[in-house]
Amino acid sequence: QRVSTESRMEGMDAVEVIVGQLEGFEAPAGSWESEILPARIADYEPAWLDAQSLAGRISWARLRPRAPRQTNGERGATPVRTTPIALLSRRHAPLWASLSGTGDPPQPSGRAQTVTDYIRQYGASFFDELVEGTGLLRSQVEEALAELVAFGLVSSDSFGGLRALLVPSERRKPVSGGRRRRKTVVFGMEDAGRWALAQRTRPGQEAAPAKPEAVEHVARKLLSRYGVVFWRLL
């Protein structure tokens, strides 16, 4: 599992390897860079994950939709830090999305719906474009994006977008230091890349049957991760 001292990996290339092993595993958003990745990669630097995601190798998403009883549109009901997020190889993201299920559509708040409508009309958009296009305050757009992330309705090009929602605005300053090299951690919404709607079946649209290649991909990932796969795990 790469968590023992002798089996931990090093360097930026290790991020893609570890994500490949944990692909599709849902964990609280706040735990990926505080626990999971640092436990498996020595001297882990968040900038490595940003580089891999901006290069188009890694993406992040909420795979399973939120339970209908929780989708009341209240800000307090959508904590991003505890939202189950999975890291994926970007080329495999459509396979996971096809198996993620649909469920009843959530009911976002008015501001979150405004942001959703803008992205649906104009396509993937940068944070500044969302602010200008919706006419909302920057803080209101941030709150709307946090709600949409918790519902599993949007994602961004970079993990920096999710990280920015996890860190209070007063703490969003580049962190430098390190014994061997300069570290720069991106916390700003402006560095998140574009925000896009999640790949899900729209309300009223019948879900397509699961593709055999998607089922086989997940089966192979489970075997790679756990070694032994049993019925309850499936």
Side-chain angles (χ1 to χ4, degrees), residues 204-228:
Q205 179 182 353
E206 186 177 352
K211 296 181 179 180
E213 56 265 33
V215 177
E216 180 178 347
H217 177 75
V218 173
R220 290 188 180 278
K221 282 298 176 182
L222 292 176
L223 284 170
S224 174
R225 184 182 309 149
Y226 298 108
V228 176

Side-chain angles (χ1 to χ4, degrees), residues 16-88:
E16 190 172 9
V17 175
I18 297 301
V19 170
Q21 183 183 23
L22 298 177
E23 185 178 280
F25 178 77
E26 291 184 305
S31 68
W32 278 105
E33 291 193 307
S34 63
E35 302 174 39
I36 299 174
L37 295 178
R40 292 163 172 80
I41 304 175
D43 299 319
Y44 169 75
E45 295 186 13
W48 293 344
L49 181 55
D50 291 338
Q52 295 281 8
S53 56
L54 287 173
R57 299 187 184 96
I58 293 174
S59 62
W60 60 270
R62 175 170 189 162
L63 295 179
R64 288 179 292 181
R66 195 179 184 123
R69 61 183 176 83
Q70 295 174 302
T71 57
N72 53 15
E74 296 179 5
R75 180 186 175 192
T78 57
V80 177
R81 183 165 296 276
T82 57
T83 296
I85 293 294
L87 297 182
L88 312 166

